[in-house]
Every structure is written in structure tokens, then in C-alpha cells.
Amino acid sequence: MEDYDVVIIGGGPAGLTAGLYAARAKMKAVLLERKWPGGQLLNTDKIEDYPGFDTISGPELAERMEKQARKLGLQIAMEEAVSIRPHGNRKLVKASGEKEYLAKAVVVTAGGEPRRLGVPGEAELAGRGVSYCAICDGAFFQDQVVAVVGGGDAAVEEGAFLTRFASKVYIVHRRPELRASRDIQEKARQNPKIEFVLNAVVEEIHGTDQVEYLTVLRNGQRERLEVNGVFVFVGFVPNTELFHEPVERDPQGHLVTNAHMETSLKGIFAAGDVRSQLTRQITTAVGDGTTAVVAVQHYIESLADEEAKSRDAQLVG
């Protein structure tokens, strides 16, 4: 095993930024990504709130971030991290395929997975009308009727994106008001293809081989929505099941960190959507990744001091 300064787990905006700063600092770093660098950026059609760009697609921004980090010398391995455990004063990261990485510090930027509704028909019809990615699957619903479940920024933005293909888009949200930002809501309300179904909960997704309709409970009344597809955007579950030791999490399972992105485990840092925070934006992920690597540098310096003192003490002894 090679001894790295830092292993970065996850290749979204936080991970790529951490890798960029680690490479610039001449640290020996490797980023592990199980799919493809970019994370949730790869599922985002249009970004209009990232400084420096009036508008840019998520995949293009991801590609630019990856190229910049690689150009500076970041090593990227297309492997899935499956566990983190202590190994003396190092951390041992085990990856898929039995490969192991030894490092002084680890930065976890693993993001999360889409949260499921957990209603009858969802699992059975996944990939047959039930989707968690509008960009991936929207084109399959040309001139059809679809429903988006959720009321946050992602749900409303993806609903607007789906109007490029669908003849009609229902946005179903359990509360009487949306959680999306006001400007995103206003754009959606001006779209004639979008109809809001508020104060409504999806009870069941129906269909034999494909989605055929939804049963929703709206204002206490059961209703049937005839749709060909259902896109679920109700949050995500953070990928934090890597730790061999107990680590502090918030009630939703996100990693709790201090201002330096340090977790409750010495030498392990977290950045981006995987950690507990107020907002989950590209800009905050980038800031987290920067802070984490600067903190890692200080941690490695302190670790070197401790090891030097230990060696001196052994010599004196």
C-alpha cells in the first residue's frame, strides 16, 4: 500500500474542489469515485447560480472541474470506497476490488442517494416509469403526462425541465406551500404545462408493466392522477455507512462537523452534502472542500510534530 497524505471519497463539487486544493498544495492525494466525477452535477440540466457563469450545464461544469484538478496532478481512481478504519496513526480506506489505500487523513465527500417515497408500486415500477433523474429519463416521456413528487428547488426545477418533453407536469407536494426559492417558483407558475397538486400525499403508484396512474390523498380526499411517469425528488440519504468506528451524525444521518470540517473521528473530515448544514448548494460544497483540505494540511503538520516528538522520546528512553 502507498501512504497518501489524503484520500478523498466522492467526486462531486466538494470532492473535486478538495482534490484541486490538495494538488495545488503538492499533497499526495487520490480521489475515489464509484461512478463518474461530477456527482449531482451530472443530473442537473442548467445552473444559473454559480458565480462567473450566467448559465452552464451541470455536466459541463463537472467536466471543467475534473480537468482542472487532473491538470494540477490529482489522481482519480474509479473505485467505490466501502470502509474506513484506523490503522495506527493512519486511516485505511478499503475500496471495491479489495484494493486498499493508506492515508494520513480522509475527506468524505460522498454525497447521498435519492430518498424513496416508500409507497406501494415504487420499487416494482422503478425503471418502468418511476425515475429519480429527469435529465436521465425525461426524453422517454415525449408528449406524455408525468408527475414530480417534491416541493424543493430540485423538484420544481426538474419539473420545469420535464416540460421540454411532457405535455403536462403535475408537481405533487405534501404541504400547502412549496419549499423552493421564490424565483424558481415564479418561473414554474408561469409555465402553462405545470399544474401544482399541493397539500397532497402519494399513496400508491399503479401500473402493470409501466406506470399508469397515481393515487394521492389531497386535503383528505383520495384522487387519481393519470400519468405515464413519476419523478421523485424528496431529498436524499447521505452516504455515511463507511465507518468502522461510531461517528457523530445529525437526526437525518448527515455527518456532524466543526467549522474546520472535522468529524468526531480524528483525521476524518467531511464536506458537501454528506455533512450537516443549512444549505446544499454547489457554492457551499466548493467552500466546504476548500476548508477541509486547508484543515487537512494543518492536521498533517500536527501529526508530523507528534510523530517527531514520539521518535525523540524513544531515542531519549
Side-chain angles (χ1 to χ4, degrees), residues 95-234:
S96 54
E98 301 301 316
K99 190 164 184 179
E100 295 179 327
Y101 296 84
L102 196 63
K104 300 178 180 72
V106 174
V107 179
V108 180
T109 61
E113 296 294 330
R115 189 181 298 279
R116 272 52 176 175
L117 292 173
V119 300
E122 181 181 21
E124 294 83 354
L125 293 168
R128 293 185 291 163
V130 174
S131 174
Y132 304 88
C133 177
I135 291 177
C136 307
D137 300 324
F140 295 117
F141 296 89
Q142 187 72 44
D143 299 322
Q144 298 183 53
V145 179
V146 301
V148 170
V149 184
D153 286 354
V156 180
E157 286 181 324
E158 298 299 333
F161 172 78
L162 286 167
T163 61
R164 299 183 183 189
F165 312 101
S167 59
K168 184 172 187 175
V169 177
Y170 292 106
I171 296 183
V172 182
H173 184 46
R174 61 181 179 173
R175 296 189 176 93
E177 295 182 357
L178 298 170
R179 294 185 294 107
S181 61
R182 188 168 300 278
D183 62 325
I184 292 174
Q185 288 190 46
E186 288 175 355
K187 286 182 181 179
R189 292 186 187 283
Q190 292 169 7
N191 192 318
K193 287 188 175 183
I194 293 177
E195 180 178 332
F196 293 94
V197 182
L198 302 179
N199 207 29
V201 177
V202 175
E203 286 192 322
E204 187 170 352
I205 302 171
H206 302 265
T208 305
D209 296 320
Q210 291 285 325
V211 170
E212 297 171 10
Y213 68 95
L214 293 180
T215 301
V216 302
L217 193 65
R218 174 158 54 164
N219 297 318
Q221 300 295 317
R222 187 166 285 105
E223 300 180 19
R224 173 171 168 151
L225 293 182
E226 303 285 346
V227 297
N228 307 107
V230 182
F231 290 82
V232 181
F233 299 100
V234 291

